């Protein structure tokens, strides 16, 4: 079983770890290595369960364990995101996520959104 957007692969063979543990470990490893950056929006429990062919309760159990470990955070109706390690990083990741969502709604391409953010940062840091 594989989830294409997260590249999660579960081993269903005898003796393999429980599916929720495999899922928890893979998301935690990717978040800690930076492959899933702070602020990355994770799929819904139901959506990921469908992708992987698992019960929603299995994915929910993995998400609960990840949240208890501080790897992910749930932001109410906004969804579940990879958590930042520190307060300032967490706030910056949240602001970046909000900017990305707004730029997308405005119809900007990724290159246009990056250029706008880069120019704003250049102007702000040059003003010091």
């Amino acid at each position: 079983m594989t989830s294409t957007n997260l590249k999660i692969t579960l081993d269903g063979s005898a003796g393999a770890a429980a599916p929720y543990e495999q899922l928890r470990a893979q998301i935690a490893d990717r978040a800690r290595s930076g492959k899933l950056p702070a602020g990355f929006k994770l799929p819904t429990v139901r959506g990921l369960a469908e992708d992987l062919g698992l019960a929603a309760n299995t994915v929910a159990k993995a998400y609960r364990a990840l949240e208890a470990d501080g790897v992910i955070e749930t932001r109410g109706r906004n969804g579940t995101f990879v958590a930042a390690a520190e307060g300032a990083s967490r706030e910056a990741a949240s602001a970046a996520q909000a900017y990305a969502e707004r730029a997308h709604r405005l119809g900007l391409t990724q290159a246009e959104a990056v250029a706008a953010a880069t120019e704003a940062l250049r102007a702000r840091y040059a003003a010091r």
Side-chain angles (χ1 to χ4, degrees):
M1 294 172 274
T2 302
S3 170
T4 55
N5 56 348
L6 288 179
K7 297 184 173 116
I8 299 290
T9 302
L10 300 178
D11 181 359
S13 65
Y20 93 89
E21 177 55 27
Q22 291 179 53
L23 178 59
R24 187 211 57 78
Q26 289 182 50
I27 291 174
D29 289 346
R30 286 184 177 94
R32 290 186 179 117
S33 73
K35 289 179 183 174
L36 290 178
F40 179 86
K41 186 173 184 177
L42 295 167
T44 63
V45 167
R46 188 170 290 156
L48 187 55
E50 288 176 10
D51 282 354
L52 294 172
L54 296 172
N57 285 341
T58 300
V59 175
K61 183 176 182 180
Y63 275 21
R64 282 192 304 272
L66 288 162
E67 192 161 24
D69 292 344
V71 176
I72 65 172
E73 59 187 3
T74 301
R75 300 180 191 161
R77 293 184 178 177
N78 291 323
T80 303
F81 299 83
V82 173
E86 300 173 17
S89 295
R90 180 173 296 171
E91 190 171 334
S94 178
Q97 181 67 34
Y99 171 73
E101 290 174 11
R102 177 77 173 147
H104 183 72
R105 280 193 311 272
L106 290 170
L108 297 178
T109 65
Q110 182 177 352
E112 291 168 335
V114 169
T118 300
E119 186 55 36
L121 288 166
R122 186 173 303 142
R124 176 63 188 109
Y125 283 90
R128 285 188 169 201

